């Protein structure tokens, strides 16, 4: 199963570079990393790093002139070559099993949408024995859910394209675009699996 990673990014500098470096260290690696960049310009050090990685074939650097989260994600979905496409925020620390856990969840459960675990600053994994029924993305238990967080989820590429991708009518911070996609997918008969092994720590960078 070929896995592509798509990182939509906007006005991020060192934290973006750190995120890509972390992903380069994962084993097995992604088949490709697509950085969908909506920034008008970057600091020279950021430009140098992104250009070097592109020359070396370590990333596919896609430059867009119109900032839009759904448009950037659709661009990544269309350009990706993998069977499974993982969407990640540009300010994260990935768990070592992130990519393999996403891929395994798709193959084991034959589902086409996987929600990954997201640990926000100060959060730790919620032990199963203290969960009270309310679903939180720091949960440690695999389950079927009705939503995902846009900073860590994966889709079957062909399935997501068949659903029409992400709704570009959501603008600016595109609040709730994930919920709209999930509602559309569930209505079409898809299921969403929460896989805690596919984990990231979200840094919540202040700018970007």
């Amino acid at each position: 199963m070929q896995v592509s990673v798509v990182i939509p990014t906007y006005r991020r500098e060192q934290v973006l570079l750190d995120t890509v470096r972390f992903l380069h260290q994962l084993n097995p690696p992604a088949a490709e990393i697509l950085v969908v960049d909506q920034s008008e310009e970057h600091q020279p050090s950021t430009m140098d790093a992104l250009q070097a990685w592109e020359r070396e074939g370590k990333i596919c650097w896609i430059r867009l002139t119109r900032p839009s989260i759904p448009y950037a994600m659709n661009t990544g979905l269309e350009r990706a070559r993998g069977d499974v496409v993982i969407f990640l925020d540009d300010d994260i620390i990935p768990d070592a099993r992130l990519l393999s856990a996403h891929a395994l969840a798709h193959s084991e459960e034959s589902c086409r949408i996987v929600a990954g675990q997201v640990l926000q600053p100060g959060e730790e994994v919620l032990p199963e024995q203290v969960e009270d029924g309310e679903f939180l993305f720091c949960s440690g238990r695999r389950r079927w859910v009705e939503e995902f967080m846009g900073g860590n989820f994966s889709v079957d590429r062909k399935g997501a394209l068949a659903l029409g991708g992400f709704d570009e009518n959501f603008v600016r911070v595109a609040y709730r675009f994930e919920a709209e996609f999930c509602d559309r997918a569930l209505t079409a008969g898809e299921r969403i699996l929460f896989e805690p092994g596919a984990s990231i720590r979200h840094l919540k960078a202040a700018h970007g």
Side-chain angles (χ1 to χ4, degrees), residues 7 9 38 61 147 172:
I7 305 173
T9 187
Q38 305 155 88
W61 186 22
E147 57 185 336
R172 300 185 185 277

Side-chain angles (χ1 to χ4, degrees), residues 162-177:
L163 285 169
F166 305 98
D167 189 342
E168 295 176 22
N169 288 306
F170 287 84
V171 298
R172 300 185 185 277
V173 296
Y175 181 65
R176 300 292 289 171
F177 84 93

